Amino acid sequence: MKVLVVGGGAREHAIAEALKRSPQQVELYSAMSNANPGIKRLSVATLRAKETDLEAVTEFALKHGIELAVIGPEAPLCAGLADELLAAGVACVGPRRAVAMVECSKEFCRNLMAKYRIPGNLAYATFDDAKEAAEYIDSFPGDVAVKPVGLTGGKGVKVVGEQLRDREDAKAYAREVIERGIGGGRVVIEERALGEEFTVQAFVDGRSVVGMPAVQDHKRAFEGDRGHNTGGMGSYSQKDGLLPFLTQDDYDFALEVIRKTVGALREETGEEYRGVLYGQFMKGREIKLIEFNCRFGDPEAMNVLTLLESDFVEICAGIVEGGLSRRHVNFAKLASVCKYVVPKGYGINPAPPARISVDEEAIRREGAVLYYAAVNEENGEIYTTTSRSVAVVGVAESLAEAEKIAERAIGHIRGEHIYHRSDIGKRKLIEAKLERLRRLRGE
Ligand code: GLY
């Protein structure tokens, strides 16, 4: 089967590896804007183009007789790549634009949740007038989050008490979003959600929803969850599919929010959502939906796809043809810890591209799995870019052991201008999170 993977990050490397593990004979093709050596090595042919260049990607798919495309990032989905490929007769794991809107527009998402009374929604309002936004912020009874409506590559959301000092800051930022046209120039003002974030991802075939193990990502740049927000520095999952602060009821609630959203999307647009739906939730006094993503999370994909025991090609077939609930979807009952090596300054002022050395053999000997991210391979050398560089995943019976494997493995990636967070998955950080949550919940 000829399968195309779109995207050049560690998430897409994990997707490509999962496809290649299939007992079905997969001939892999790839399309990406960087030169990811891990994906390239698995591919028969690679298109080097922007993932949002719909014409180039579709032409490449047709030229190679691609039967199935798995689209990794949100930007091509929001640009309508699934629609283009489907029109050209290529089946897609990744939703059409009409339903990808659940991520592409934060306004669409909140309105959908309100209209269909989906639990977990936050108090919110949307504005394209800075004065009205300011009046709303002034009248709001608590702290707010200010979010551009459209995509901003993970850099647009600012929250009072985190990136914003107070209401005045929030009003100024809302004005900036509107006047500078950030994320389309409309802004959602939301109630600030407090607590511990967690991710639940699900395979979706338009109707049925199959959940994956819960994962916790770490957005902050530095140890102890300090510093600016990033795309995610690493993540962990537990062998029971839950998290130290997450009960089965919490997980079931989150999956129900996803299930109701899939139904609401069908009702609202007449389109079926086919792909992966990612819910980012906050557990505080209650569980609230922070946002949906219309794709796997990054780094969360590396946790769940490393644990996936079932045939991923079969799951993809279930997504595009329907009947997902009849397919076998099984994850190893093990803990996983993913850690990212990133360039110094990643997320604000990244170091210029530099060579790094990756001892793949030593990483394998540690028992870890390696996924290349936003790097370029040139003449056999690996160079960083402005984004995350390489991820390693440790898998083991216990979280402590998985963390040790990941930590030992990451030591085999060397370079002057890179760093990683060594605390992800460690007991000390998890205890601090549990204590914070207990205090918030008054327990
Ligand atoms: N882990 C955050 C994201 O995938 O957007």
Side-chain angles (χ1 to χ4, degrees):
M1 184 182 212
K2 292 186 169 196
V3 184
L4 171 67
V5 173
V6 179
R11 168 182 51 205
E12 290 76 25
H13 188 185
I15 290 171
E17 292 281 1
L19 289 166
K20 288 297 283 185
R21 281 204 307 274
S22 166
Q24 305 183 41
Q25 286 296 313
V26 169
E27 210 175 280
L28 198 88
Y29 294 77
S30 47
M32 56 181 148
S33 50
N34 56 317
N36 180 314
I39 302 174
K40 254 187 117 182
R41 214 176 287 160
L42 297 171
S43 306
V44 177
T46 297
L47 169 72
R48 187 94 186 261
K50 275 191 159 173
E51 291 84 357
T52 48
D53 186 341
L54 308 192
E55 211 180 305
V57 177
T58 308
E59 199 183 294
F60 180 77
L62 287 176
K63 179 175 152 198
H64 292 285
I66 299 296
E67 298 160 84
L68 172 75
V70 184
I71 304 169
E74 66 280 11
L77 290 164
C78 292
L81 182 59
D83 303 75
E84 287 288 316
L85 288 170
L86 287 165
V90 179
C92 274
V93 172
R96 287 182 182 274
R97 187 171 187 277
V99 281
M101 288 305 279
V102 75
E103 171 170 3
C104 316
S105 166
K106 292 185 171 58
E107 182 176 22
F108 174 91
C109 174
R110 290 287 170 216
N111 288 348
L112 186 86
M113 291 185 78
K115 179 170 172 185
Y116 291 88
R117 299 181 190 285
I118 296 169
N121 207 5
L122 292 163
Y124 76 102
T126 315
F127 302 94
D128 55 13
D129 181 294
K131 193 162 163 282
E132 286 174 19
E135 280 163 12
Y136 183 75
I137 292 169
D138 273 334
S139 68
F140 200 82
D143 288 342
V144 296
V146 181
K147 304 183 174 182
V149 161
L151 296 184
T152 53
K155 294 189 181 72
V157 173
K158 295 197 179 179
V159 183
V160 172
E162 296 179 24
Q163 302 82 4
L164 305 170
R165 267 192 318 264
D166 52 23
R167 271 169 212 262
E168 293 313 309
D169 259 12
K171 289 190 275 185
Y173 181 55
R175 176 176 290 280
E176 186 187 340
V177 169
I178 291 166
E179 290 181 352
R180 293 187 44 209
I182 298 170
R186 280 177 73 75
V187 72
V188 185
I189 311 294
E190 282 176 9
E191 146 197 8
R192 179 189 183 194
L194 291 169
E196 276 305 309
E197 281 183 18
F198 65 95
T199 301
V200 175
Q201 303 167 94
F203 298 116
V204 183
D205 69 357
R207 288 175 186 265
S208 39
V209 165
V210 178
M212 305 180 218
V215 184
Q216 187 172 41
D217 185 13
H218 296 70
K219 292 261 170 52
R220 299 303 189 100
F222 306 124
E223 310 268 313
D225 284 336
R226 286 177 295 108
H228 57 274
N229 272 344
T230 68
M233 296 292 295
S235 46
Y236 69 88
S237 67
Q238 288 194 149
K239 65 186 286 188
D240 59 1
L242 303 173
L243 294 164
F245 56 89
L246 199 71
T247 65
Q248 187 64 49
D249 282 351
D250 295 337
Y251 179 90
D252 293 346
F253 175 86
L255 200 60
E256 192 55 23
V257 169
I258 292 177
R259 204 168 271 127
K260 286 197 156 86
T261 302
V262 169
L265 283 167
R266 197 174 58 240
E267 184 80 18
E268 184 69 10
T269 66
E271 290 288 350
E272 298 203 318
Y273 188 104
R274 293 178 189 275
V276 170
L277 187 54
Y278 165 117
Q280 187 198 349
F281 297 90
M282 183 77 86
K283 177 172 176 172
R285 287 180 210 279
E286 301 173 300
I287 293 179
K288 297 290 186 182
L289 184 278
I290 302 299
E291 65 178 26
F292 281 117
N293 291 326
C294 59
R295 38 114 184 131
F296 277 113
D298 187 345
E300 293 94 328
M302 282 84 89
N303 297 86
V304 296
L305 288 173
T306 306
L307 293 171
L308 182 67
E309 287 182 334
S310 311
D311 178 355
F312 187 42
V313 173
E314 192 58 23
I315 295 171
C316 292
I319 290 172
V320 302
E321 291 162 9
L324 184 60
S325 54
R326 292 191 301 277
R327 317 272 168 152
H328 197 61
V329 182
N330 191 43
F331 295 89
K333 300 240 172 326
L334 294 169
S336 70
V337 174
C338 174
K339 298 196 186 207
Y340 251 128
V341 158
V342 305
K344 284 183 184 159
Y346 161 58
I348 38 170
N349 185 21
R355 198 174 66 79
I356 55 171
S357 78
V358 181
D359 188 341
E360 294 189 10
E361 195 40 52
I363 291 169
R364 230 184 321 267
R365 272 201 308 274
E366 301 290 1
V369 183
L370 161 75
Y371 297 114
Y372 285 101
V375 289
N376 289 313
E377 186 175 32
E378 289 162 26
N379 304 320
E381 306 278 15
I382 311 289
Y383 291 89
T384 58
T385 63
T386 55
S387 194
R388 294 171 288 189
S389 310
V390 184
V392 293
V393 180
V395 168
E397 275 291 323
S398 70
L399 198 52
E401 188 53 28
E403 192 279 331
K404 280 193 193 110
I405 294 170
E407 193 57 34
R408 282 198 301 264
I410 214 159
H412 299 293
I413 303 168
R414 296 205 170 89
E416 269 183 52
H417 303 293
I418 52 174
Y419 79 101
H420 77 281
R421 272 185 63 173
S422 69
D423 61 345
I424 292 169
K426 284 205 170 100
R427 198 68 226 161
K428 190 172 165 213
L429 182 64
I430 292 172
E431 285 297 344
K433 285 171 182 287
L434 287 171
E435 179 51 32
R436 235 181 6 237
L437 186 57
R438 275 195 291 266
R439 258 188 277 125
L440 177 73
R441 288 166 62 88
E443 289 167 354

